[in-house]
Amino acid sequence: MSETAVPLPASGLDPACVRSAVDERLATFLDAKARLAAAQSFPPEVTDVLRDLVLGGGKRIRPVLCVAGWRAAEGCGDEDPVLRVAASLEMFHTFALMRDDVMDRSATRRGQPSAHEAIAARHAGRLDAARLGACAAVLLGDLALAWSDELLHTAGLSADRFAAATVVLDGMRTELMYGQYLAALHRPTEHRPGRGAAHRPIQEREVHRGASFCSSGRCWPERTRASARR
C-alpha cells in the first residue's frame, strides 16, 4: 500500500472508504499499464478507454461485498491483499459490462459513451468504424478479464487463501456467463425469467470470496452465507 493510502477503519464497514481504497488501487494499476503500453508503442486508446470505463463511476457494490465478507469472517491484519482482490472483482465486472453493452448495443454506460462507441468515435472516418468498435470492445473485455486475474495473482495471498478464493471465483464466473446467456435468450422487450436469480448467487459468492481471506477459516462458508442473505 502507498504511504498516502487511506486505511480502512479498524472495525466495521465504511463503504465510502472501501470505494476510495479500491479506486486508488485500480488507478495505480491502470497507470502502470498505460506506461507499459507507451513503452511498447501500443495504441494508447486501449488503456484510455478502459480507464475511462473503470474509473468513470459505478457503485463498487462487488468490492464492498468482498470486504464485508472479510469483515464478517473476522478478517484482520494487512488489508491490502483483500483490497487488491476487491479491485480484481471490479475489473472482472468491467469485463462483463463491456460484453453486455456489445450484446445489447448500448450507446452509453455510466453517462458516457460505451466502450464500443468510444472506440468507433475515435475512428469516425472509417467506413467500418462501428464494426471496429464492437470488435475492439470484445478485445478490451478480454483484456479486463486478464487484468482481473493479474490483480488476483499479485494480491499477496497465501497459498491456502488463494486456493479458497479461486474456488469461489470459478463458480462466480460460470454463474455470470450462464446469466448472460439467459439474457441473450430473452430479448430486452421480453420478460427475463431467472436473470435476478442468476445474479443473487453471484452477489453471495462475492461475500464468500471476501470471507475466504479470513486466516482463521472458522467462518467459511456457513456464517457468511447467513450474512449475505440478510
Side-chain angles (χ1 to χ4, degrees):
M1 190 189 307
S2 68
E3 293 181 0
T4 59
V6 178
L8 295 180
S11 62
L13 182 70
D14 183 344
C17 188
V18 172
R19 287 192 288 269
S20 178
V22 168
D23 281 355
E24 181 182 42
R25 284 154 181 80
L26 286 168
T28 299
F29 180 85
L30 290 168
D31 286 346
K33 290 301 182 184
R35 290 192 297 270
L36 182 60
Q40 297 176 297
S41 299
F42 289 161
E45 64 197 49
V46 172
T47 50
D48 288 348
V49 171
L50 191 52
R51 181 189 176 90
D52 287 346
L53 180 57
V54 173
L55 299 177
K59 298 179 286 294
R60 303 294 188 255
I61 292 174
R62 290 148 191 84
V64 170
L65 287 173
C66 179
V67 176
W70 181 62
R71 288 292 199 200
E74 301 178 1
C76 58
D78 187 4
E79 65 200 30
D80 191 57
V82 72
L83 287 169
R84 284 186 63 85
V85 175
S88 81
L89 274 174
E90 189 62 30
M91 190 69 75
F92 177 72
H93 180 52
T94 301
F95 147 76
L97 292 181
M98 284 192 279
R99 291 294 177 86
D100 197 53
D101 286 345
V102 171
M103 292 166 63
D104 290 344
R105 301 179 184 178
S106 299
T108 61
R109 170 64 64 178
R110 294 171 176 167
Q112 302 180 37
S114 52
H116 61 276
E117 291 289 344
I119 293 291
R122 289 171 179 251
H123 299 274
R126 293 180 53 146
L127 294 177
D128 64 343
R131 174 174 168 76
L132 172 63
C135 293
V138 171
L139 293 173
L140 263 65
D142 291 343
L143 188 59
L145 179 60
W147 285 354
S148 73
D149 265 351
E150 185 174 338
L151 281 163
L152 174 63
H153 282 271
T154 59
L157 299 177
S158 64
D160 60 331
R161 293 302 92 198
F162 179 81
T166 52
V167 169
V168 182
L169 176 62
D170 290 344
M172 184 186 72
R173 285 177 171 175
T174 299
E175 289 162 358
L176 183 139
M177 300 308 174
Y178 272 109
Q180 290 293 87
Y181 183 69
L182 287 171
L185 284 175
H186 303 281
R187 304 311 305 164
T189 56
E190 301 174 10
H191 176 59
R192 293 184 177 184
R195 184 175 175 87
H199 284 187
R200 282 193 295 273
I202 293 171
Q203 293 169 349
E204 184 174 318
R205 284 186 182 275
E206 286 155 0
V207 179
H208 286 180
R209 191 174 179 191
S212 69
F213 312 133
C214 176
S215 59
S216 68
R218 290 174 294 171
C219 315
W220 169 263
E222 289 78 7
R223 182 188 298 181
T224 52
R225 184 179 300 275
S227 299
R229 289 175 175 168
R230 288 173 185 159

